[in-house]
Amino acid sequence: MREHSFITDYLKNPYSSVLSVSGNTKVITALSLDMKVPPHVKSGGWLTAEYSLLPGSTNVRSARERSKISGRTAEIQRLIGRSLRMAVDLEKIPGITMLIDCDVLEADGGTRTASVNGGMLAVAIACRKLADEGIVPENPLKNWIGAISGGVIDGKVVMDLDYEKDSRADTDFNFVFSENGNIIELQGTAERVPLDEGRFFELLKEARICVKDIIAEMKSIAGFTK
Amino acid sequence: MREHSFITDYLKNPYSSVLSVSGNTKVITALSLDMKVPPHVKSGGWLTAEYSLLPGSTNVRSARERSKISGRTAEIQRLIGRSLRMAVDLEKIPGITMLIDCDVLEADGGTRTASVNGGMLAVAIACRKLADEGIVPENPLKNWIGAISGGVIDGKVVMDLDYEKDSRADTDFNFVFSENGNIIELQGTAERVPLDEGRFFELLKEARICVKDIIAEMKSIAGFTK
Amino acid sequence: MREHSFITDYLKNPYSSVLSVSGNTKVITALSLDMKVPPHVKSGGWLTAEYSLLPGSTNVRSARERSKISGRTAEIQRLIGRSLRMAVDLEKIPGITMLIDCDVLEADGGTRTASVNGGMLAVAIACRKLADEGIVPENPLKNWIGAISGGVIDGKVVMDLDYEKDSRADTDFNFVFSENGNIIELQGTAERVPLDEGRFFELLKEARICVKDIIAEMKSIAGFTK
Amino acid sequence: MREHSFITDYLKNPYSSVLSVSGNTKVITALSLDMKVPPHVKSGGWLTAEYSLLPGSTNVRSARERSKISGRTAEIQRLIGRSLRMAVDLEKIPGITMLIDCDVLEADGGTRTASVNGGMLAVAIACRKLADEGIVPENPLKNWIGAISGGVIDGKVVMDLDYEKDSRADTDFNFVFSENGNIIELQGTAERVPLDEGRFFELLKEARICVKDIIAEMKSIAGFTK
Amino acid sequence: MREHSFITDYLKNPYSSVLSVSGNTKVITALSLDMKVPPHVKSGGWLTAEYSLLPGSTNVRSARERSKISGRTAEIQRLIGRSLRMAVDLEKIPGITMLIDCDVLEADGGTRTASVNGGMLAVAIACRKLADEGIVPENPLKNWIGAISGGVIDGKVVMDLDYEKDSRADTDFNFVFSENGNIIELQGTAERVPLDEGRFFELLKEARICVKDIIAEMKSIAGFTK
Amino acid sequence: MREHSFITDYLKNPYSSVLSVSGNTKVITALSLDMKVPPHVKSGGWLTAEYSLLPGSTNVRSARERSKISGRTAEIQRLIGRSLRMAVDLEKIPGITMLIDCDVLEADGGTRTASVNGGMLAVAIACRKLADEGIVPENPLKNWIGAISGGVIDGKVVMDLDYEKDSRADTDFNFVFSENGNIIELQGTAERVPLDEGRFFELLKEARICVKDIIAEMKSIAGFTK
């Protein structure tokens, strides 16, 4: 696993913000509050995410998505939003939407998992702040979650793939676990060779260990573990 | 598992087409050939999918996606395309794109898995036809694949969720396996309660059995098993 | 004239729905209710229509209209909506919009007239249902209408053109009549040779006869004639 | 019929241009040449039209169509293009597209017929110029065509409706005839009361007379009649 | 300086309208009232502008901006709106938006300055009318403003550039002054050679003189000077 | 003037990149090469710029521009592109486009001038690198340019406005000068009070001094001054 680090309060203006670093991958996750919820929300609050690559973040320049977003972007930001909604008890933030902006400064593999992790820390900080400031009566944090990618290269399980490894992998999985190791989200594709059960169990096991470490790292950052 | 059935040659014009039925869910999958490939394809051919709900297919009318597609649609059609690309040896259809149109007539849960299954059969028929007609030298079919959804309701594993069950499920998974039970694509979300390992293994096991049956059913339809 | 047939309750979810068949042309017309009206409607209710070709419905695959609709689609769905608004007394459905979705499964000429006819039957069923269910005090049906296409090929008048004939026709007209033979909508173009008055009168006369038969067929379907 | 007049060479830059006036309705029709044809044109040339209302042309300001065009605009510009294609022998302008821009300065009813008429004169002038300048070997003009609207108000046939009359009409027709009175395009809608055959024949007859006059007027403008 | 002239009440429907002519450049500026203001306006009224080239206004046909507007258009209409907001005391038109439509009939350089000047006269007329009609208690006109372009060609300062001169200029400035010669808006670019201070002061001085004349001309048109 | 600083090679992937800091404003400017030019470029190369605010960069979250860009964004990126084109001899980079991406991390006033300055340094580095790597025969750098904003607050000239000052300013100018003090681009608006000549000359003089300092600072960063 590459080194994972987090810089909190990276931006001045958002309600909370984190620079999430995994190896050479760097993602700014910024949380803003919107004091209303989308029409489909009948009770409680909401959390949603947006994801974008800076044009200069990638090897070959990524064109801005100014007339419509790609399917890849849509898929990634839905995964981030779904995962982070499991971190918050939405009933405890009635009428409030948490909007998580994930902007990738440097992309070297694992941008979606770095976004989930940075987003998690931004959510935890925001939840504490909401309660501290009396905007909601109690801290709405429900679960700590963490994410990691993994794949199979030349028959071997490899975690936390950088861009070069990701390009060579036969299979590519993203795992999101809760702190106690339960599954929050799991998405994987055999890109070249169908994946046998044995390798998959190995991937799952390794991923769970990695995520445990990442959550511990995150909690130590902003004084969540005493 | 609900009843799965397939009507081949459902439409006159496409290169191959299948009506895929799972319980009350009905999806038309139509395969067209395009004798060129997108720019990112450097060798071989390509396969891609599009997915759409007919406005009248759902409980509450689904608005047409005429100015942009939703994130949900983007995510689903990417899953279908990725899965079906594992069914074909793309190197054996150089310069050819298979375009799979999945149009949902009636939606009662499991539209994406019904799309993958109907698409699989349309692909198998098209592959045989391509070889028979001498457009390509040999049948490019590589794997039979099949898909099923599953979830956990009130702590119990339930397969092939209809709309009503899907609304109550704590967790919602989609599985795509190859004929021999290896994983092609796996996507799941804990929508209410994180999923423990035991339940997940149960889901995985049940899904593998269901998919085996579905593939057998598909192969018997158009004379692929003698 | 090709055989015209109608299957009612073709879909489960819409308020009413009809599969309209003319020769090899098949269109699903589904009617949904929206309990509000657009801003330009100052009194009474409204009726509007949308039209779309399934990608696999045509000889050469029709691309989905996902960023904007074509002029052809706009023109067709406006004709369908205008025609069907003459079937309903909109003052008798205050605050209600009937939305008619016309989705073409198979296109072999005459898709717009098949849409008008299927839509007419869906409207008649919905009107009866609205009154039966007490949503409106009396059945708002005002006129039965019907549609047919016609053209001139090699100097001869031909009705209900299929795709092959339509391609050869010098002129191409669509007629919508009320049950008693008055004109509801008339749209025609000389595509190769200007049309002389004599031929036009012949077309008009034949069309009126065809539409009379189609309306009789529709009324017999769902017990509207005793 | 209101007074119809035409000012040729109204703009400096287009290949030909005409200000077409019908009562208080004023439309600039400008013809540009594009030395290529759209992909669907297999032999000969092409002619197409665009139509737009200036925001200040209407009673209540018309919003600019900057993200998409309305169905009404699509329908009108298709009618103009179809009609004017009957005026030109497209085989005689191989590889050339005539693009007719119809921009409405003042709208007081009949903007689509004023566009067809102004466009006809612009086409005639351009055809003569193409031959004079040796761009094509012979004048490609095939037919003179002309357009007029008509309707039924309080049971009486009225031609060339202005905005106020158009709002009161039970029925609203647009007629395009060739110089010898054959039908080029015919589009009509019963907006309140279905139209009986007698009234329709009266409309048709009146329209033919009006168009004869308009074509005569147009031909006299730029020396087409000696 | 080319001849500048103004025709008031050029269109029938807008609240006020002016044809603004500078040499061969002709722009219709039409002012409509909207009895509401955009959300960002917290007190008083608002004024905004839209700018568009007719397709036939330019040397080479300008394509319509139907799916999005160009950066050039955005930049120009923002300059027009900003400048004209300085002409009106917005606090005196509470809840009212003045919308200025600038449609270029003929473009021969200086279309944005002709738009500002025509817009100014339309605004002055509308302000007087608003007070005369008692819609607002007093005439909200605050400043007369006027605009001119200028550049440097072969080292010499030239004002009011036509298209041909504009193409040859090393530098291209647009000036908007108030009646007493203060700066309202100033926008300039060295397109080939950076501009030295001396030349710039010369440009500024000439522009101020030109604008004084243009404002005098405008005020004489509609009886604003007695 | 606030402190201006520059961090070169801020991102790994672009051809050159700079973090441009002015007080609390931070902009990433990244330069990518595209080995082709847009169709309107008849000889030499091209340079263009894109500008975007990160959602979390501003006081109130800025919505992403995913369906179209705002007029403000269009105006700013055109100013940046025009200014930086004066820094490069485009004839010396035939067939090459320099694309400058300006992404604002933190916005506290002066984002467009910080973009021009960061872009200038990125351009200078890229020009040297192009020559060093032999991609072009000689260093294509033509001018060093620099930008600063300035305004008038309570009758006093203030340079390099932060957000709070910008909100209070009567007038708001942006200046781009070449190293020897000639004008490259000048854009200013009197937002409340027309600006008299005296104040404007003061602004111009101060701006020239500030830009001289900024250019000196930039040149010292990457060893351009020895």
Side-chain angles (χ1 to χ4, degrees), chain C residues 183 185-186 188 195 197 208, chain D residues 183 186-188 195 197 208:
Chain C
I183 297 169
E185 172 97 18
L186 198 161
L195 180 66
E197 198 171 79
R208 193 174 272 123
Chain D
I183 297 170
L186 198 160
Q187 196 281 321
L195 179 66
E197 200 172 79
R208 193 173 272 122

Side-chain angles (χ1 to χ4, degrees), chain A residues 13-62:
Chain A
N13 288 307
Y15 195 66
S16 67
S17 66
V18 172
L19 179 73
S20 173
V21 181
S22 311
N24 291 324
T25 290
K26 288 182 192 144
V27 183
I28 301 178
T29 53
L31 186 152
S32 307
L33 297 181
D34 196 3
M35 302 320 262
K36 62 178 188 291
V37 293
H40 67 81
V41 174
K42 299 309 176 202
S43 84
W46 191 242
L47 182 154
T48 187
E50 290 185 6
Y51 168 94
S52 182
L53 292 165
L54 249 70
S57 67
T58 47
N59 211 350
V60 172
R61 179 179 182 273
S62 299

Side-chain angles (χ1 to χ4, degrees), chain A residues 100-170:
Chain A
I100 320 291
D101 285 295
C102 304
D103 287 274
V104 179
L105 293 186
E106 305 254 13
D108 186 28
T111 60
R112 77 190 74 185
T113 52
S115 297
V116 170
N117 294 333
M120 175 66 235
L121 193 47
V123 164
I125 294 169
C127 284
R128 185 170 58 183
K129 203 168 156 187
L130 279 168
D132 286 355
E133 294 178 346
I135 298 173
V136 299
E138 58 173 320
N139 187 325
L141 193 71
K142 192 169 69 174
N143 288 306
W144 279 88
I145 69 168
I148 195 80
S149 71
V152 175
I153 303 177
D154 302 334
K156 271 184 244 127
V157 158
V158 185
M159 301 313 294
D160 198 12
L161 308 173
D162 62 17
Y163 178 76
E164 184 272 336
K165 283 179 186 151
D166 187 76
S167 312
R168 287 192 297 129
D170 287 335

